[in-house]
Amino acid sequence: EVQLVESGGGLVQPGGSLRLSCAASGFNFNLVDMSWVRQAPGKGLEWVSTINWWDSSTYYAGSVQGRFTISRDNAKNTLYLQLNSLKTEDTAMYYCAQALQGVDMERWPRGQGTQVTVSS
């Protein structure tokens, strides 16, 4: 059974930083593309970033490019997202997910999420 457990969210002031983690189990983490997605209050699910399994190439939404950094530690079965220069519009529930090709993002297996709130 796929299990994804996010942590590291919290309340931070604009301009601040957070580091999110996602502990993965129940599948071969080393062989799966992984993503972070988020959902702001009253809005739909938004793709944030993806990291490939074979060469750790990374991809970002334009809204977070240059501020967020995705990474993975295959030895620890853990996915990370470093969030810097946070803005109020980054407030959302953040989920790590298996980025399954050919499957709608809304159907990607994901964890329970960790809340990020950016406010002064």
Side-chain angles (χ1 to χ4, degrees):
E1 178 186 0
V2 172
Q3 287 197 325
L4 299 165
V5 181
E6 301 93 337
S7 61
L11 173 64
V12 63
Q13 292 185 342
S17 297
L18 284 172
R19 188 193 195 202
L20 308 184
S21 298
C22 172
S25 62
F27 65 101
N28 196 335
F29 180 79
N30 295 0
L31 298 180
V32 177
D33 296 344
M34 295 296 298
S35 288
W36 287 95
V37 298
R38 67 185 181 183
Q39 188 165 24
K43 296 188 177 181
L45 201 62
E46 177 188 17
W47 172 75
V48 174
S49 182
T50 295
I51 184 167
N52 286 348
W53 66 265
W54 66 90
D55 64 357
S56 293
S57 293
T58 57
Y59 307 89
Y60 298 94
S63 58
V64 307
Q65 179 78 47
R67 300 187 298 119
F68 292 6
T69 303
I70 190 172
S71 61
R72 63 192 299 160
D73 186 334
N74 288 340
K76 296 182 178 179
N77 283 6
T78 302
L79 180 72
Y80 301 99
L81 187 68
Q82 178 69 41
L83 292 69
N84 295 331
S85 302
L86 281 161
K87 305 176 181 180
T88 55
E89 53 262 44
D90 294 318
T91 295
M93 185 71 79
Y94 284 71
Y95 303 90
C96 72
Q98 293 183 325
L100 303 181
Q101 292 188 10
V103 176
D104 291 342
M105 180 180 63
E106 288 77 7
R107 296 178 58 196
W108 289 351
R110 59 182 188 258
Q112 84 290 345
T114 186
Q115 178 68 39
V116 172
T117 302
V118 184
S119 175
S120 56

